[in-house]
Amino acid sequence: MGKTKRIGILTGGGDCPGLNAAIRAVAKTSIFGHQIEVIGIEDGYEGLINNKTRILQTKDVSGILTQGGTILGTSNRANPFAYGEEKKDVSEEVFKNFHNLKLDALICVGGDGTLHIAHELTQLGMPVVGIPKTIDNDVEATDFTIGFDSACAVATEAIDNIHSTAESHHRVMIIELMGRYTGWVALYAGVAGGGDIILIPEIPYKIDKICQEVKRRGKFGKRFSIVVVAEGVKFEDKELVVKKRVKASTDQIRLGGVSYKIAQHLEELTGLEARVIILGHLQRGGKPTDFDRILATQFGKKAVDLALAENFGYMSSLQHGKITSVPIESAIRNLKKVNLDSPLIEAARGVGTCFGD
Ligand code: F6P
């Protein structure tokens, strides 16, 4: 203890509500509690590669608790081990810049991609601490990531608002939510918003089952249905629907549009009218929920504690309601998928939600 004088912080990957709350927590804990200087690194690892940094003082982080996005900017294209379209290894530059900045520790706030890079840097000797964030909630070894709850709040409100128009027009409304290869957002928002059918990548579905359910509801006087679809479900359980590919990105695939295919089949097979809403980046916008503000504040404080204790290669984590820490390595081994025995799925099935299986 006492050796740490300067901490760097960066936010990498897709933005989400709660990042600013984490930056604020790291900066205030460091400055107030330990007289540590905090260096904000701009645009994720891009700032460390190209030396884009600024000192963060308390005035810079004051008033940002409630703001979405990240005051530091972010990037999901700046991998120091495979930079740019030529995928060049610029990690030496990163180490040089890190030392020139006289940093004693680097706090990396990010999801799967950012934490992978953080782990690689740790293995090469950089003193790194992680904070898990992503609306997808797909990071292992933590119950929740920053941003997930806020994304679910936006998605739930959208599902709530879709109900009246679905009912008035007697339509099937298909709402497609983000989440990449996992169904956390679709499951949580789908249950919270009372989706009649929820499709997630973890549960293979059959289009016939969805049609049967829509028709069954009709027999009971429900002439509309809300189908909540995770962007990562495969069409007819075979093919991921890719919207575009981003060459310079760690994961090049951008999902989106499976709902249009499902809608077309539903219309053909049931004769009912279907409409598609792709909620998209709205799920990453807006203010963080109280849960995310609290989680980010605790994760930020914990990350500073880890840096002070020189527990490098670790990240803040929430397990069974308690803030703790885990090796970053344990968080990136696999994507955290929805557990099919989860009480939430059981409860959803209990109230008649169809998962298309
Ligand atoms: O990982 C967060 C996320 O919002 C995913 O849910 C989504 O698939 C992806 O990022 C979208 O990426 P981009 O912002 O590059 O379009």
Side-chain angles (χ1 to χ4, degrees), residues 14 76 134-136 178-180 231 243 254-255 281 284:
N76 52 19
T134 164
I135 66 160
D136 304 335
M178 280 184 166
R180 284 208 301 167
E231 64 180 1
K243 189 172 58 186
R254 293 295 176 276
L255 298 166
H281 292 81
R284 299 219 310 243

Side-chain angles (χ1 to χ4, degrees), residues 242-284:
V242 176
K243 189 172 58 186
K244 67 186 282 191
R245 282 173 198 270
V246 184
K247 260 197 170 169
S249 191
T250 328
D251 179 356
Q252 300 187 357
I253 289 176
R254 293 295 176 276
L255 298 166
V258 64
S259 299
Y260 287 110
K261 296 194 170 201
I262 295 174
Q264 194 192 333
H265 275 65
L266 254 166
E267 284 196 340
E268 283 167 11
L269 295 169
T270 62
L272 291 165
E273 237 191 333
R275 290 288 186 272
V276 170
I277 307 102
I278 300 192
L279 203 56
H281 292 81
L282 273 177
Q283 291 158 98
R284 299 219 310 243

